[in-house]
Amino acid sequence: MKNINANKGYRKIIIAAAVAALAAGTLTGCGAKASAANSPAVTKTEDGKELKTLRVAIMTGQPDQYADFIGTEEGIFEKHGIKLETTEYVAGINTVDAIVNGTADTGLLADFAAVNRIGNTLHDTDLDLFAELSSSKATDGGVYVAPEYADDVSKLADSAGWITHIGTVSEYYNWQGQVALGLDPATQKAVNTDSTQTALAAAANGEASAVVASGSQAKKYEEIGWKLAATSDEVGSVVGSYLVTTDGFIDANADLLADYLSALDESVQFINNDLDSAADRISAKFGIDAEQFKSDWKTRTIVIGFTEEGAANLDNVNEWALGQNKYPEAYNIRDFINTSAIEKAFPDRVTLTK
């Protein structure tokens, strides 16, 4: 297997050589741009405290969205020297796009989205996973199908298809659901959607036939008459979430990312310690039902660190994705884990082996 870390270093050497060759008239400008890309803006509070700006790409409905919101309102990020700027996206593929194009410094990816993005940009990517945020196992929901397939799921092969969002963990969920139902995934069609709203519209209009859903989304499929064909326990869906940045940013800002992880952890604990109050505030801000938020929150194991279990989960998803031809070349996902920030914030929570 190739040493991708070595390849990444090699690319940096080649790039450095090219810049040196163009030094006359261009070195100063290029250096200024590279430095600026990894140098967060600094502002001062009214009492003169300096804050470093951290731009975070967040996914709708994920734990970091709620922790970022509560932590900002409670002054937790400011206490840790951070001015937090967040931009919301519908999925991990959008958050990572923001990181790659330089409009965000960090963001959240689910396990499949992470291994899929790296696998499809293997020799051009500078992405690093720098912390494990959470893992979750659905305690409700499962595979829902349109009513006409409830009594004979084998007919799903000739149906409109399974709701998915290409490039996200929903592809992995669907495979697990199809296997749980005894179906051959190769015979199943996919219906690509870009949001919960478009997915529900496809389901209601007969443009899709099956979906894997839990929590508040599962209730919405029940409301339109879809039937539960396999429970979440039968599907066995567990998703890990990971924080992502770039080589350049973490190399220049490991201390800032460590402060972010500490503030994020404190914000999570604040929610845990007064879940009822936090749920009411989150409900008012984001429009999610407070009771549903509490139910969803409790299904997640939120421990900010980087465990061997979290790395092994990535290994498993990576093996599955390669076997499904999601990308052309085998690689070691652990070559793209950088623990320098998490080791500063919570050294006792780093248990993975490279």
Side-chain angles (χ1 to χ4, degrees):
M1 183 176 291
K2 292 183 180 180
N3 185 333
I4 301 298
N5 274 343
N7 289 345
K8 291 166 79 175
Y10 178 74
R11 291 198 303 275
K12 291 177 181 177
I13 292 171
I14 296 298
I15 292 169
V19 171
L22 296 172
T26 63
L27 184 59
T28 302
C30 291
K33 289 180 181 178
S35 176
N38 295 316
S39 299
V42 177
T43 59
K44 286 189 176 183
T45 63
E46 291 182 358
D47 60 1
K49 181 179 181 178
E50 288 192 347
L51 303 177
K52 288 185 177 180
T53 299
L54 186 67
R55 303 169 302 163
V56 179
I58 56 175
M59 267 196 287
T60 302
Q62 295 302 306
D64 62 327
Q65 180 179 38
Y66 303 130
D68 284 346
F69 165 65
I70 291 294
T72 299
E73 287 222 323
E74 290 297 319
I76 294 171
F77 290 99
E78 184 173 312
K79 183 180 75 173
H80 286 269
I82 296 171
K83 179 184 177 184
L84 202 66
E85 293 182 355
T86 61
T87 304
E88 182 178 352
Y89 297 94
V90 70
I93 55 176
N94 308 117
T95 66
V96 76
D97 283 344
I99 295 167
V100 169
N101 68 30
T103 58
D105 303 315
T106 181
L108 186 73
L109 281 179
D111 39 30
F112 172 70
V115 300
N116 186 57
R117 181 58 174 253
I118 292 171
N120 278 292
T121 58
L122 190 57
H123 298 290
D124 300 305
T125 188
D126 63 349
L127 293 174
D128 281 325
L129 311 180
F130 68 95
E132 180 186 1
L133 178 66
S134 70
S135 63
S136 63
K137 179 178 180 180
T139 56
D140 62 356
V143 178
Y144 286 88
V145 298
E148 58 267 34
Y149 303 101
D151 295 328
D152 188 357
V153 295
S154 68
K155 295 180 179 178
L156 285 169
D158 299 318
S159 73
W162 293 63
I163 291 171
T164 192
H165 187 173
I166 299 299
T168 75
V169 74
S170 65
E171 289 192 74
Y172 187 40
Y173 286 162
N174 284 352
W175 177 83
Q176 290 179 307
Q178 290 156 11
V179 170
L181 292 178
L183 303 174
D184 178 1
T187 66
Q188 304 299 303
K189 304 182 186 71
V191 179
N192 192 30
T193 60
D194 59 8
S195 69
T196 299
Q197 291 72 27
T198 56
L200 284 166
N205 295 333
E207 298 169 357
S209 310
V211 69
V212 178
S214 61
S216 57
Q217 292 186 21
K219 293 185 183 302
K220 294 182 184 298
Y221 288 103
E222 291 172 358
E223 289 170 1
I224 64 171
W226 279 32
K227 305 299 182 182
L228 185 65
T231 67
S232 59
D233 282 341
E234 292 169 327
V235 175
S237 297
V238 177
V239 60
S241 298
Y242 303 82
L243 294 171
V244 184
T245 188
T246 62
D247 286 341
F249 193 83
I250 196 169
D251 287 348
N253 301 285
D255 288 335
L256 173 58
L257 290 175
D259 290 337
Y260 174 62
L261 294 173
S262 296
L264 195 62
D265 186 74
E266 188 174 336
S267 300
V268 168
Q269 298 312 315
F270 187 94
I271 294 173
N272 289 339
N273 291 338
D274 195 352
L275 187 57
D276 289 337
S277 174
D280 289 340
R281 293 162 66 179
I282 288 167
S283 176
K285 172 67 175 179
F286 299 105
I288 183 175
D289 178 78
E291 292 302 316
Q292 186 61 56
F293 164 75
K294 289 190 287 185
S295 177
D296 289 348
W297 184 265
K298 290 175 182 177
T299 68
R300 302 178 189 274
T301 302
I302 304 174
V303 179
I304 299 170
F306 224 125
T307 64
E308 176 58 27
E309 292 79 7
N313 177 57
L314 289 168
D315 292 336
N316 292 337
V317 176
N318 187 13
E319 181 180 2
W320 171 82
L322 182 66
Q324 298 296 310
N325 299 313
K326 297 299 182 183
Y327 36 83
E329 183 179 346
Y331 74 98
N332 186 352
I333 185 63
R334 296 180 188 232
D335 290 334
F336 293 85
I337 295 174
N338 185 327
T339 59
S340 59
I342 192 64
E343 286 175 352
K344 290 175 181 289
F346 303 108
D348 57 325
R349 299 185 191 175
V350 181
T351 62
L352 82 163
T353 56
K354 287 293 188 79

